[in-house]
Amino acid sequence: PARLARIKQHGTSILLAMAPAAPIVAAEKGESGTNIVEDNNGKRLLVSYAPLDLPGLKWVMLTQMDEREALAAQTAFSRTVLTVACLMGLLSTLLSLWLARSFLRPVTILLDGIDRLRKGERNVTIADDTHDEFGDLAKAFNGMAADLKSRDEVIESKNQAYSQLLKRIFPDTV
């Protein structure tokens, strides 16, 4: 209470306020530095200290600031960097998904054509309007599908011819 009264009387806390003891002891030993320490009220402070080399005096210089106030710019910068990093990660993920989908679209179309051909559909063709490997693959698939269709037609006509030949040779009951 006496110290508070003196601070009020002088209108300043310079040379009157209690500072954390550890930095003062270190400065009296000739050390200098910056640390985060707790004051008497449990408040975290950023404290810088150094001895003052003045003839005939053994003084130390000590500055202190609330840790949150001292590191506010760094905290804001960290949050900004984290936000930008998260947004960039999200954007790159979405872009990767879109690119993967666009790269796989021709493969999906080709797989759909193969599945339709496997199920017995005869007139299967896929678009071959691109001028890349997928276009070449689509052209090869269309050629293969046309060959299968013509082979099926030949086999069907041969089966009909053999069936008619058998009907001429053997009676219908056979």
Side-chain angles (χ1 to χ4, degrees), residues 69 78 83 104 107 112 116 121 135 151 159:
E69 181 183 356
S78 297
T83 302
L104 291 177
V107 174
D112 181 54
R116 287 173 36 210
E121 191 176 326
R151 286 182 190 163
N159 282 342

Side-chain angles (χ1 to χ4, degrees), residues 28-54:
E28 286 177 342
K29 291 179 182 177
E31 299 173 14
S32 62
T34 301
N35 294 328
I36 295 178
V37 296
E38 285 190 16
D39 67 359
N40 298 335
N41 299 326
K43 192 176 190 181
R44 291 176 55 92
L45 302 171
L46 179 66
V47 178
S48 292
Y49 55 91
L52 285 178
D53 189 20
L54 299 173

Side-chain angles (χ1 to χ4, degrees), residues 19-128:
I24 294 174
V25 171
E28 286 177 342
K29 291 179 182 177
E31 299 173 14
S32 62
T34 301
N35 294 328
I36 295 178
V37 296
E38 285 190 16
D39 67 359
N40 298 335
N41 299 326
K43 192 176 190 181
R44 291 176 55 92
L45 302 171
L46 179 66
V47 178
S48 292
Y49 55 91
L52 285 178
D53 189 20
L54 299 173
L57 296 174
K58 188 173 182 181
W59 282 10
V60 297
M61 183 185 322
L62 181 113
T63 60
Q64 63 187 29
M65 180 183 265
D66 182 16
E67 179 187 28
R68 287 188 190 145
E69 181 183 356
L71 301 178
Q74 179 183 359
T75 303
F77 179 71
S78 297
R79 285 185 183 148
T80 302
V81 168
L82 182 63
T83 302
V84 169
C86 288
L87 288 175
M88 292 297 288
L90 178 65
L91 182 64
S92 65
T93 300
L94 292 175
L95 181 64
S96 297
L97 289 173
W98 179 78
L99 286 173
R101 188 173 182 196
S102 67
F103 287 143
L104 291 177
R105 186 173 296 126
V107 174
T108 305
I109 292 170
L110 183 64
L111 288 174
D112 181 54
I114 291 170
D115 191 45
R116 287 173 36 210
L117 192 64
R118 184 181 56 84
K119 289 179 180 175
E121 191 176 326
R122 285 189 176 187
N123 295 323
V124 178
T125 58
I126 56 175
D128 59 356

